[in-house]
Amino acid sequence: MRLDIGKMGDHVQKYASDNDMNLKNSFWKKNIRNLPGRASPKKESKSVSSSASTSFDDFQESVSDAWEIEAEDEILRISARECANSAHPPASSCYRNRFPYDVKISKRVAHSAAVNVINNHKASIEEIHKSKNYSNSDLQGESSSQTYKESRHTENRINFSNSEVDTNKLTKFQVLLESNLLQLEDLKKLSWSGVPVEVRPMTWRLLAGYLPTSSERRQQALDRKRIDYANLVKQYYDTDKDEVYKDTYRQIHIDIPRMSTPLFQQTTVQEMFERILFIWAIRHPASGYVQGMNDLVTPFYVVFLQEYLPIGTNIEKLDVSSISKKNRDSLEADSFWCLSKFLDGIQDNYIFAQLGIQYKVNQLKELIQRIDGTLHGHLMKHGIDYLQFSFRWMNNLLTRELPLRCSIRLWDTYLAESDCFATFQLYVCAAFLLHWRQELLEEKDFQGLMIMLQNLQTQNWTDTDISLLVAEAYRLKFTFADAPNHLTTKR
Amino acid sequence: MGTGDEEYDYLFKVVLIGDSGVGKSNLLARFTRNEFNLESKSTIGVEFATRSIKVNKKIIKAQIWDTAGQERYRAITSAYYRGAVGALLVYDIAKQLTYQNVERWLSELRDHADQNIVIMLVGNKSDLRHLRAVPADEATAFAEANNLSFIETSALDSTNVETAFENILTEIHRKVSARQMDSMDGDEIDKVCMKPIRIDATTANTNDSAAFQIKQFCCNASA
Ligand SMILES: Nc1nc2c(ncn2[C@@H]2O[C@H](COP(=O)(O)OP(=O)(O)OP(=O)(O)O)[C@@H](O)[C@H]2O)c(=O)[nH]1
Ligand SMILES: [Mg+2]
């Protein structure tokens, strides 16, 4: 079956949801290695170069005719803007610069990869047309202050409104979640571009591998896990704390009260966080508690909290102790287990000397050097060390750099990436850095650069910005992960 | 983002170290932005800020690195001691343990920092009088014995924050000027006048990040 990607992206609503899923399935199955969420399995090995062309060729073959048939203006405009947003040089020159030695990766293929991702993200991209931020570049002067105020207003509020998400998409989720035997891969594909708020708690549980895919076993598993957690609390937390754990407890106790916003200042909430983190730390002695982990609980906590509230509740005004004890216990247990699953893939970030992060920071540096020599040279010239700014990006998975609502959207994608999100995160960080390219190039000294890098202005960001960010990250990964002289092959 | 005050005579790199929660980030916020925040988040890795002040008619720009207090971050943060000419070693006067750990922080500095680094012991949260766990004279004696200067501060009510930074920067300035004088005999003066002197060799790879950079010293002096 030939798949017309251009059409699929543009007329996605016209397909009956089943039909659409089939189309997507057949497409994705064919290019299984390029699925967002799954790194090419050979990527880390040294035999990369030989396999690289194969996967690119596969991809090219599967999409090239679709690309030629339906090169909609609109799509092109979006991807061009996306390019402009991340401030790349015009495509014609940028790929030549980046691949002085490689002719296999044509501009068209790389471009179509990006477009393909964006098409799949149609739902969120559509939001662009509504969003004032993007509606018109020449409007910016006037409207930006207004947009700023609006988002200020909603800053501490988790967006419950579903206006940004295609209702069609919600239906697809519901169909999937209600099926007797869920295909996790289908759920990942669908989730990668963002999960509607109504189905997010259940979707996250499944994506995290916390719940079984068989729908009839789900409730049973959930009940058991919640009891397991209650037992852990009894075993480790309610008893006298072992001397060796006192340090851990002390550190958690120093960090939790420093969580800002009224919600997290509530004693009930702080105690829940303390238990989650303490028990996690005890059960993971190789890493233990590391400052910043509290920020990694937050998205789970907030998403699961939403389950017990009517849609549209402003959680910042919520008194969490008004939720029943039973529900609070469930919320805490779910947050704990999902955090555990989530951190499993990135434990080396938190072990002694944080080698995982040091390694990734190096990878980021090599990657930027390859993608954008100008920016890299600029940073080097002014004595900026990647560790100085990207350590926090990696340690906290960008939670410190983004508003909470954006972190939650980003985690839709991370969770859909499953075991490989650690790798994907590298590309997200790269895309994030490149996003600020122009502003950074305008800074002319170390101090200006450092201060900017520590305070990147994302407070107005919406789901759309994250969709563009991950699409760009995906494009970078697709373009660079398998390319010859891959960064890891240098080692 | 404008960084303002570009003109300076000296650029000194100073690090803030000490246990987690003693108030390093708030001292920095108070000194550089006159802000205080009870819910300031924990520092991840390092954070950076600057401020210029006038000492002995010279403009001194302090490049201050605020480090994360948790032990786990030590491997990362100790890299930032390199090239620092001053360190504020902070403890919390209401928490005995953070004072006990001062010894460990000193040995961290011995291992990773320049041996000429100027160290100031800072007992923060002096506003918490009713909770005081570390007597001031005990800390004074300890500081004397270890050749450190000592001050108690409160980032919350601003007491001594300005003074603490002024003192350490003045002390650094004094040391640097003395060293510079020492090294200037005869011909060398000319050389020094031609270009900025960089005393620290380890980080002197770029203009901006050179930790110990002295601009226009002679030119100003002879003017
Ligand atoms: N009463 C009082 N509280 C303070 C003072 N300075 C800081 N605090 C509070 O102490 C807590 C910790 O302050 P931080 O500045 O975040 O501590 P830190 O040393 O930077 O901690 P890490 O980043 O974890 O290493 C915060 O709740 C501050 O509000 C002070 O002078 N007086
Ligand atoms: Mg701090």
Side-chain angles (χ1 to χ4, degrees), chain A residues 250-251 254 258 260 265 287 289-292 350 354 382 388 391-392 395 400 443 445-448 450-451 454, chain B residues 1 3 6 20-21 39-45 47-48 50 61 63 65 69-70 72-73 75-76 80 97 206 208:
Chain A
R250 193 179 305 115
Q251 187 64 60
I254 290 172
R258 285 189 282 173
S260 38
Q265 282 297 307
S287 59
Y289 173 76
V290 176
Q291 281 189 295
Y350 305 110
Q354 305 196 259
H382 293 294
Q388 287 162 350
F391 180 84
R392 189 171 73 189
N395 192 78
R400 283 283 177 94
E443 289 295 337
D445 63 9
F446 172 80
Q447 177 182 332
M450 262 324 285
I451 287 172
Q454 287 178 165
Chain B
M1 197 178 293
T3 47
E6 295 309 330
S20 177
E39 288 125 43
S40 70
K41 292 179 174 169
S42 58
T43 304
I44 309 298
E47 271 171 46
F48 168 87
T50 72
K61 180 160 167 173
Q63 212 180 59
W65 290 91
Q70 195 189 5
R72 180 57 47 90
Y73 287 117
I76 303 290
Y80 293 92
L97 188 64
T206 74
D208 284 322

Short mmCIF file of all heavy atoms in Angstrom, two decimals, chain A residues 250-251 254 258 260 265 287 289-292 350 354 382 388 391-392 395 400 443 445-448 450-451 454, chain B residues 1 3 6 20-21 39-45 47-48 50 61 63 65 69-70 72-73 75-76 80 97 206 208:
data_model
loop_
_atom_site.label_atom_id
_atom_site.label_comp_id
_atom_site.label_asym_id
_atom_site.label_seq_id
_atom_site.Cartn_x
_atom_site.Cartn_y
_atom_site.Cartn_z
N ARG A 250 17.34 14.35 55.35
CA ARG A 250 17.65 15.76 55.62
C ARG A 250 17.65 16.56 54.32
O ARG A 250 17.06 17.64 54.22
CB ARG A 250 19.01 15.86 56.30
CG ARG A 250 19.28 17.24 56.91
CD ARG A 250 20.62 17.31 57.62
NE ARG A 250 20.80 16.29 58.64
CZ ARG A 250 21.71 15.30 58.59
NH1 ARG A 250 22.52 15.19 57.55
NH2 ARG A 250 21.81 14.41 59.54
N GLN A 251 18.30 16.01 53.29
CA GLN A 251 18.39 16.74 52.02
C GLN A 251 17.01 16.94 51.41
O GLN A 251 16.68 18.03 50.93
CB GLN A 251 19.30 15.99 51.04
CG GLN A 251 19.57 16.77 49.76
CD GLN A 251 20.33 18.06 50.01
OE1 GLN A 251 21.44 18.05 50.54
NE2 GLN A 251 19.73 19.19 49.66
N ILE A 254 15.25 19.62 53.11
CA ILE A 254 15.72 20.98 52.79
C ILE A 254 15.11 21.45 51.47
O ILE A 254 14.78 22.61 51.30
CB ILE A 254 17.27 21.01 52.70
CG1 ILE A 254 17.90 20.82 54.08
CG2 ILE A 254 17.75 22.31 52.08
CD1 ILE A 254 19.40 20.64 54.05
N ARG A 258 11.30 24.35 49.60
CA ARG A 258 11.69 25.40 48.66
C ARG A 258 10.94 25.29 47.33
O ARG A 258 11.24 26.05 46.40
CB ARG A 258 13.21 25.34 48.42
CG ARG A 258 13.99 25.90 49.60
CD ARG A 258 15.46 26.04 49.27
NE ARG A 258 16.15 24.75 49.33
CZ ARG A 258 17.41 24.59 48.96
NH1 ARG A 258 18.11 25.58 48.48
NH2 ARG A 258 17.98 23.40 49.07
N SER A 260 8.28 26.21 44.91
CA SER A 260 7.45 27.42 44.92
C SER A 260 6.02 27.11 44.49
O SER A 260 5.68 25.97 44.23
CB SER A 260 8.08 28.49 44.04
OG SER A 260 8.63 27.90 42.91
N GLN A 265 3.29 24.51 48.47
CA GLN A 265 3.58 24.99 49.82
C GLN A 265 2.67 24.34 50.86
O GLN A 265 2.84 24.52 52.05
CB GLN A 265 3.44 26.52 49.87
CG GLN A 265 4.64 27.25 49.26
CD GLN A 265 5.94 26.96 50.03
OE1 GLN A 265 6.00 27.12 51.22
NE2 GLN A 265 6.97 26.51 49.31
N SER A 287 22.06 5.56 43.33
CA SER A 287 21.97 6.99 43.06
C SER A 287 21.52 7.75 44.29
O SER A 287 22.10 8.76 44.66
CB SER A 287 21.03 7.27 41.90
OG SER A 287 19.75 6.76 42.18
N TYR A 289 18.90 10.03 46.58
CA TYR A 289 18.23 11.27 46.22
C TYR A 289 19.24 12.30 45.70
O TYR A 289 20.29 12.50 46.29
CB TYR A 289 17.49 11.85 47.44
CG TYR A 289 16.92 13.22 47.18
CD1 TYR A 289 15.78 13.38 46.41
CD2 TYR A 289 17.57 14.36 47.65
CE1 TYR A 289 15.28 14.64 46.14
CE2 TYR A 289 17.07 15.63 47.38
CZ TYR A 289 15.92 15.76 46.63
OH TYR A 289 15.43 17.01 46.35
N VAL A 290 18.91 12.91 44.61
CA VAL A 290 19.74 13.98 44.07
C VAL A 290 18.89 15.23 43.95
O VAL A 290 17.75 15.17 43.49
CB VAL A 290 20.32 13.60 42.68
CG1 VAL A 290 21.11 14.75 42.09
CG2 VAL A 290 21.20 12.38 42.79
N GLN A 291 19.43 16.34 44.37
CA GLN A 291 18.67 17.59 44.32
C GLN A 291 18.10 17.81 42.92
O GLN A 291 18.82 17.66 41.93
CB GLN A 291 19.57 18.76 44.69
CG GLN A 291 19.79 18.90 46.18
CD GLN A 291 20.51 20.19 46.52
OE1 GLN A 291 21.65 20.37 46.14
NE2 GLN A 291 19.84 21.07 47.25
N GLY A 292 16.86 18.19 42.88
CA GLY A 292 16.23 18.42 41.60
C GLY A 292 15.23 17.32 41.28
O GLY A 292 14.32 17.51 40.47
N TYR A 350 22.36 10.01 37.84
CA TYR A 350 22.31 10.39 39.25
C TYR A 350 23.28 9.61 40.14
O TYR A 350 23.30 9.81 41.34
CB TYR A 350 20.87 10.26 39.77
CG TYR A 350 19.91 11.05 38.91
CD1 TYR A 350 18.99 10.41 38.09
CD2 TYR A 350 19.97 12.44 38.88
CE1 TYR A 350 18.14 11.15 37.27
CE2 TYR A 350 19.13 13.17 38.07
CZ TYR A 350 18.21 12.53 37.27
OH TYR A 350 17.37 13.25 36.46
N GLN A 354 27.82 11.71 38.72
CA GLN A 354 26.84 11.98 37.68
C GLN A 354 27.42 11.80 36.28
O GLN A 354 27.29 12.65 35.40
CB GLN A 354 26.26 13.39 37.88
CG GLN A 354 25.72 13.51 39.31
CD GLN A 354 24.82 14.69 39.51
OE1 GLN A 354 25.23 15.70 40.02
NE2 GLN A 354 23.57 14.55 39.09
N HIS A 382 33.82 32.75 23.69
CA HIS A 382 33.57 33.51 24.91
C HIS A 382 33.72 32.67 26.17
O HIS A 382 33.29 33.07 27.25
CB HIS A 382 32.19 34.16 24.84
CG HIS A 382 32.11 35.24 23.80
ND1 HIS A 382 32.82 36.40 23.88
CD2 HIS A 382 31.46 35.28 22.61
CE1 HIS A 382 32.58 37.14 22.79
NE2 HIS A 382 31.76 36.48 22.02
N GLN A 388 28.27 24.32 32.08
CA GLN A 388 27.77 25.44 32.88
C GLN A 388 26.28 25.68 32.69
O GLN A 388 25.62 26.17 33.59
CB GLN A 388 28.55 26.72 32.52
CG GLN A 388 29.96 26.73 33.06
CD GLN A 388 30.84 27.76 32.37
OE1 GLN A 388 30.45 28.35 31.35
NE2 GLN A 388 32.04 27.96 32.88
N PHE A 391 24.07 21.28 32.22
CA PHE A 391 23.98 20.33 33.32
C PHE A 391 22.58 20.30 33.91
O PHE A 391 21.98 19.26 34.11
CB PHE A 391 25.00 20.67 34.41
CG PHE A 391 24.97 19.71 35.56
CD1 PHE A 391 25.68 18.53 35.50
CD2 PHE A 391 24.20 19.97 36.68
CE1 PHE A 391 25.63 17.62 36.54
CE2 PHE A 391 24.14 19.07 37.73
CZ PHE A 391 24.86 17.90 37.66
N ARG A 392 22.06 21.46 34.17
CA ARG A 392 20.72 21.55 34.74
C ARG A 392 19.65 21.05 33.76
O ARG A 392 18.67 20.43 34.16
CB ARG A 392 20.44 23.00 35.14
CG ARG A 392 19.18 23.18 35.94
CD ARG A 392 19.05 24.57 36.50
NE ARG A 392 18.73 25.54 35.46
CZ ARG A 392 18.74 26.85 35.65
NH1 ARG A 392 19.09 27.35 36.83
NH2 ARG A 392 18.43 27.68 34.67
N ASN A 395 19.99 17.26 34.15
CA ASN A 395 19.68 16.78 35.49
C ASN A 395 18.18 16.88 35.78
O ASN A 395 17.60 16.00 36.40
CB ASN A 395 20.46 17.59 36.53
CG ASN A 395 20.41 16.97 37.91
OD1 ASN A 395 21.12 15.99 38.18
ND2 ASN A 395 19.59 17.50 38.78
N ARG A 400 13.35 22.89 34.84
CA ARG A 400 13.66 24.22 35.37
C ARG A 400 13.63 25.29 34.29
O ARG A 400 13.59 26.48 34.58
CB ARG A 400 15.05 24.23 36.01
CG ARG A 400 15.14 23.59 37.37
CD ARG A 400 14.59 24.50 38.46
NE ARG A 400 14.62 23.85 39.75
CZ ARG A 400 15.59 23.97 40.64
NH1 ARG A 400 16.63 24.73 40.37
NH2 ARG A 400 15.55 23.35 41.78
N GLU A 443 24.77 38.17 21.78
CA GLU A 443 25.48 38.45 23.03
C GLU A 443 26.98 38.44 22.75
O GLU A 443 27.50 37.52 22.16
CB GLU A 443 25.14 37.41 24.10
CG GLU A 443 23.74 37.52 24.65
CD GLU A 443 23.50 38.82 25.42
OE1 GLU A 443 24.49 39.41 25.91
OE2 GLU A 443 22.34 39.26 25.50
N ASP A 445 29.58 38.86 25.09
CA ASP A 445 30.58 38.47 26.08
C ASP A 445 30.10 37.32 26.96
O ASP A 445 28.93 36.92 26.92
CB ASP A 445 31.02 39.65 26.95
CG ASP A 445 29.87 40.23 27.77
OD1 ASP A 445 28.78 39.62 27.80
OD2 ASP A 445 30.07 41.29 28.38
N PHE A 446 31.03 36.78 27.69
CA PHE A 446 30.78 35.62 28.53
C PHE A 446 29.60 35.85 29.47
O PHE A 446 28.69 35.05 29.58
CB PHE A 446 32.04 35.32 29.35
CG PHE A 446 31.85 34.27 30.40
CD1 PHE A 446 31.87 32.93 30.06
CD2 PHE A 446 31.65 34.62 31.72
CE1 PHE A 446 31.69 31.96 31.02
CE2 PHE A 446 31.46 33.65 32.69
CZ PHE A 446 31.49 32.33 32.34
N GLN A 447 29.64 36.99 30.11
CA GLN A 447 28.63 37.29 31.11
C GLN A 447 27.22 37.34 30.52
O GLN A 447 26.29 36.74 31.04
CB GLN A 447 29.00 38.63 31.75
CG GLN A 447 28.00 39.12 32.75
CD GLN A 447 28.42 40.48 33.29
OE1 GLN A 447 29.60 40.79 33.32
NE2 GLN A 447 27.46 41.28 33.69
N GLY A 448 27.10 38.06 29.41
CA GLY A 448 25.80 38.16 28.77
C GLY A 448 25.29 36.79 28.35
O GLY A 448 24.11 36.48 28.52
N MET A 450 26.15 33.79 29.60
CA MET A 450 25.82 32.95 30.75
C MET A 450 24.48 33.35 31.35
O MET A 450 23.64 32.50 31.65
CB MET A 450 26.90 33.09 31.84
CG MET A 450 27.96 32.02 31.90
SD MET A 450 27.42 30.36 31.52
CE MET A 450 26.54 29.93 32.99
N ILE A 451 24.30 34.64 31.48
CA ILE A 451 23.06 35.09 32.11
C ILE A 451 21.86 34.74 31.23
O ILE A 451 20.83 34.29 31.72
CB ILE A 451 23.16 36.59 32.45
CG1 ILE A 451 24.11 36.73 33.66
CG2 ILE A 451 21.79 37.20 32.77
CD1 ILE A 451 24.49 38.13 34.03
N GLN A 454 21.09 30.99 31.44
CA GLN A 454 20.47 30.58 32.70
C GLN A 454 19.03 31.03 32.83
O GLN A 454 18.32 30.57 33.71
CB GLN A 454 21.24 31.20 33.88
CG GLN A 454 22.58 30.58 34.13
CD GLN A 454 23.29 31.26 35.28
OE1 GLN A 454 24.23 30.74 35.80
NE2 GLN A 454 22.86 32.45 35.68
N MET B 1 20.13 40.81 26.09
CA MET B 1 20.10 41.19 27.50
C MET B 1 21.33 42.02 27.84
O MET B 1 22.45 41.54 27.78
CB MET B 1 20.09 39.93 28.36
CG MET B 1 19.65 40.20 29.77
SD MET B 1 19.60 38.66 30.71
CE MET B 1 18.26 37.82 29.87
N THR B 3 24.15 43.77 29.84
CA THR B 3 24.79 43.41 31.08
C THR B 3 25.35 44.63 31.79
O THR B 3 25.93 44.55 32.86
CB THR B 3 25.91 42.39 30.85
OG1 THR B 3 26.70 42.84 29.76
CG2 THR B 3 25.33 41.04 30.57
N GLU B 6 30.14 47.63 31.79
CA GLU B 6 31.21 46.91 31.11
C GLU B 6 32.60 47.38 31.53
O GLU B 6 33.58 46.68 31.41
CB GLU B 6 31.06 47.05 29.59
CG GLU B 6 29.81 46.39 29.03
CD GLU B 6 29.64 44.94 29.48
OE1 GLU B 6 30.65 44.26 29.73
OE2 GLU B 6 28.48 44.52 29.60
N SER B 20 24.06 22.51 51.60
CA SER B 20 22.79 22.84 50.99
C SER B 20 21.88 23.52 52.01
O SER B 20 21.82 23.11 53.17
CB SER B 20 22.14 21.56 50.49
OG SER B 20 20.88 21.84 49.97
N GLY B 21 21.22 24.56 51.57
CA GLY B 21 20.22 25.20 52.43
C GLY B 21 20.73 26.28 53.36
O GLY B 21 19.97 26.87 54.11
N GLU B 39 11.32 30.81 49.05
CA GLU B 39 11.10 29.58 48.29
C GLU B 39 12.04 29.48 47.09
O GLU B 39 11.67 28.99 46.05
CB GLU B 39 9.65 29.50 47.81
CG GLU B 39 8.68 29.21 48.91
CD GLU B 39 7.59 30.26 48.98
OE1 GLU B 39 7.08 30.65 47.93
OE2 GLU B 39 7.27 30.69 50.10
N SER B 40 13.25 29.98 47.26
CA SER B 40 14.21 29.85 46.16
C SER B 40 14.53 28.38 45.99
O SER B 40 14.79 27.67 46.96
CB SER B 40 15.49 30.61 46.48
OG SER B 40 16.19 29.96 47.51
N LYS B 41 14.47 27.93 44.76
CA LYS B 41 14.68 26.50 44.52
C LYS B 41 16.12 26.10 44.77
O LYS B 41 17.02 26.94 44.73
CB LYS B 41 14.30 26.17 43.08
CG LYS B 41 12.83 26.32 42.84
CD LYS B 41 12.47 26.03 41.39
CE LYS B 41 10.96 26.04 41.24
NZ LYS B 41 10.55 26.03 39.86
N SER B 42 16.32 24.83 44.99
CA SER B 42 17.68 24.32 45.17
C SER B 42 18.49 24.60 43.91
O SER B 42 17.96 24.60 42.81
CB SER B 42 17.63 22.83 45.45
OG SER B 42 16.99 22.17 44.38
N THR B 43 19.76 24.83 44.10
CA THR B 43 20.63 25.09 42.96
C THR B 43 21.05 23.76 42.33
O THR B 43 21.45 22.85 43.04
CB THR B 43 21.88 25.87 43.40
OG1 THR B 43 21.46 27.06 44.07
CG2 THR B 43 22.76 26.23 42.22
N ILE B 44 20.93 23.68 41.03
CA ILE B 44 21.35 22.47 40.32
C ILE B 44 22.65 22.81 39.60
O ILE B 44 22.66 23.69 38.75
CB ILE B 44 20.29 22.05 39.28
CG1 ILE B 44 18.89 21.96 39.90
CG2 ILE B 44 20.68 20.73 38.62
CD1 ILE B 44 18.73 20.97 41.00
N GLY B 45 23.72 22.12 39.95
CA GLY B 45 25.02 22.43 39.33
C GLY B 45 25.56 23.76 39.84
O GLY B 45 25.83 23.91 41.01
N GLU B 47 25.28 28.27 39.36
CA GLU B 47 24.63 29.44 38.79
C GLU B 47 25.58 30.62 38.87
O GLU B 47 26.45 30.67 39.71
CB GLU B 47 23.32 29.74 39.51
CG GLU B 47 22.15 29.01 38.88
CD GLU B 47 20.88 29.10 39.71
OE1 GLU B 47 20.57 30.20 40.16
OE2 GLU B 47 20.24 28.06 39.90
N PHE B 48 25.33 31.55 38.01
CA PHE B 48 26.30 32.61 37.80
C PHE B 48 25.64 33.97 37.89
O PHE B 48 24.52 34.16 37.44
CB PHE B 48 26.90 32.40 36.41
CG PHE B 48 27.71 33.53 35.89
CD1 PHE B 48 29.06 33.62 36.21
CD2 PHE B 48 27.15 34.51 35.10
CE1 PHE B 48 29.83 34.67 35.73
CE2 PHE B 48 27.91 35.56 34.61
CZ PHE B 48 29.25 35.64 34.93
N THR B 50 26.85 38.50 38.36
CA THR B 50 27.96 39.44 38.54
C THR B 50 27.45 40.73 39.17
O THR B 50 26.26 41.05 39.10
CB THR B 50 28.64 39.85 37.21
OG1 THR B 50 27.74 40.70 36.51
CG2 THR B 50 29.01 38.66 36.39
N LYS B 61 34.86 44.10 39.26
CA LYS B 61 33.70 43.32 38.84
C LYS B 61 33.83 41.93 39.44
O LYS B 61 34.81 41.24 39.21
CB LYS B 61 33.68 43.24 37.33
CG LYS B 61 32.53 42.47 36.79
CD LYS B 61 32.33 42.88 35.37
CE LYS B 61 31.42 41.95 34.65
NZ LYS B 61 31.15 42.49 33.31
N GLN B 63 32.66 38.22 39.57
CA GLN B 63 31.97 37.18 38.80
C GLN B 63 31.73 36.06 39.79
O GLN B 63 32.66 35.37 40.19
CB GLN B 63 32.92 36.73 37.69
CG GLN B 63 32.24 36.30 36.44
CD GLN B 63 33.24 35.85 35.40
OE1 GLN B 63 34.01 34.93 35.63
NE2 GLN B 63 33.23 36.50 34.25
N TRP B 65 30.13 32.63 41.29
CA TRP B 65 29.57 31.32 40.97
C TRP B 65 28.95 30.72 42.22
O TRP B 65 29.63 30.48 43.21
CB TRP B 65 30.67 30.40 40.43
CG TRP B 65 31.15 30.80 39.09
CD1 TRP B 65 32.19 31.64 38.81
CD2 TRP B 65 30.60 30.41 37.83
NE1 TRP B 65 32.31 31.80 37.44
CE2 TRP B 65 31.35 31.04 36.82
CE3 TRP B 65 29.52 29.57 37.45
CZ2 TRP B 65 31.08 30.87 35.47
CZ3 TRP B 65 29.27 29.41 36.10
CH2 TRP B 65 30.04 30.06 35.13
N GLY B 69 24.86 22.73 46.98
CA GLY B 69 25.46 22.29 48.22
C GLY B 69 25.53 20.78 48.40
O GLY B 69 26.35 20.27 49.15
N GLN B 70 24.67 20.05 47.69
CA GLN B 70 24.62 18.62 47.96
C GLN B 70 25.91 17.93 47.57
O GLN B 70 26.51 18.21 46.54
CB GLN B 70 23.44 17.96 47.22
CG GLN B 70 23.14 16.57 47.75
CD GLN B 70 22.13 15.80 46.91
OE1 GLN B 70 21.69 16.25 45.86
NE2 GLN B 70 21.77 14.62 47.39
N ARG B 72 26.48 15.16 46.29
CA ARG B 72 26.47 14.50 44.99
C ARG B 72 27.01 15.40 43.87
O ARG B 72 27.55 14.96 42.87
CB ARG B 72 25.04 14.04 44.65
CG ARG B 72 24.86 13.33 43.34
CD ARG B 72 25.75 12.10 43.23
NE ARG B 72 25.67 11.32 44.45
CZ ARG B 72 24.79 10.35 44.65
NH1 ARG B 72 23.96 10.02 43.72
NH2 ARG B 72 24.76 9.69 45.78
N TYR B 73 26.83 16.69 44.06
CA TYR B 73 27.24 17.62 43.01
C TYR B 73 28.71 18.02 43.11
O TYR B 73 29.20 18.77 42.28
CB TYR B 73 26.39 18.89 43.07
CG TYR B 73 24.98 18.71 42.59
CD1 TYR B 73 23.90 18.88 43.44
CD2 TYR B 73 24.73 18.37 41.27
CE1 TYR B 73 22.60 18.72 43.00
CE2 TYR B 73 23.44 18.20 40.82
CZ TYR B 73 22.38 18.38 41.68
OH TYR B 73 21.10 18.22 41.23
N ALA B 75 31.48 16.67 42.46
CA ALA B 75 32.35 16.41 41.32
C ALA B 75 32.20 17.49 40.25
O ALA B 75 33.15 17.87 39.59
CB ALA B 75 32.03 15.05 40.72
N ILE B 76 30.98 17.97 40.09
CA ILE B 76 30.71 18.99 39.10
C ILE B 76 31.18 20.35 39.61
O ILE B 76 31.85 21.11 38.92
CB ILE B 76 29.20 19.09 38.81
CG1 ILE B 76 28.64 17.75 38.35
CG2 ILE B 76 28.90 20.19 37.80
CD1 ILE B 76 29.08 17.33 37.00
N TYR B 80 34.57 24.28 39.33
CA TYR B 80 34.45 25.73 39.27
C TYR B 80 35.36 26.46 40.25
O TYR B 80 35.46 27.68 40.21
CB TYR B 80 32.99 26.14 39.49
CG TYR B 80 32.18 25.68 38.33
CD1 TYR B 80 31.54 24.45 38.35
CD2 TYR B 80 32.14 26.42 37.16
CE1 TYR B 80 30.86 23.98 37.26
CE2 TYR B 80 31.45 25.97 36.07
CZ TYR B 80 30.81 24.74 36.12
OH TYR B 80 30.14 24.29 35.03
N LEU B 97 25.26 21.31 62.18
CA LEU B 97 25.89 20.42 61.21
C LEU B 97 26.56 21.18 60.07
O LEU B 97 27.63 20.79 59.59
CB LEU B 97 24.85 19.45 60.66
CG LEU B 97 25.40 18.33 59.77
CD1 LEU B 97 26.31 17.41 60.56
CD2 LEU B 97 24.25 17.54 59.14
N THR B 206 40.50 32.58 27.61
CA THR B 206 39.75 33.58 26.88
C THR B 206 39.76 34.89 27.66
O THR B 206 40.03 34.90 28.85
CB THR B 206 38.27 33.19 26.71
OG1 THR B 206 37.64 33.36 27.97
CG2 THR B 206 38.10 31.79 26.22
N ASP B 208 37.17 36.73 28.45
CA ASP B 208 36.06 36.92 29.36
C ASP B 208 36.13 36.06 30.59
O ASP B 208 35.79 36.47 31.68
CB ASP B 208 34.74 36.65 28.64
CG ASP B 208 34.40 37.81 27.76
OD1 ASP B 208 34.66 38.94 28.17
OD2 ASP B 208 33.90 37.56 26.66
#
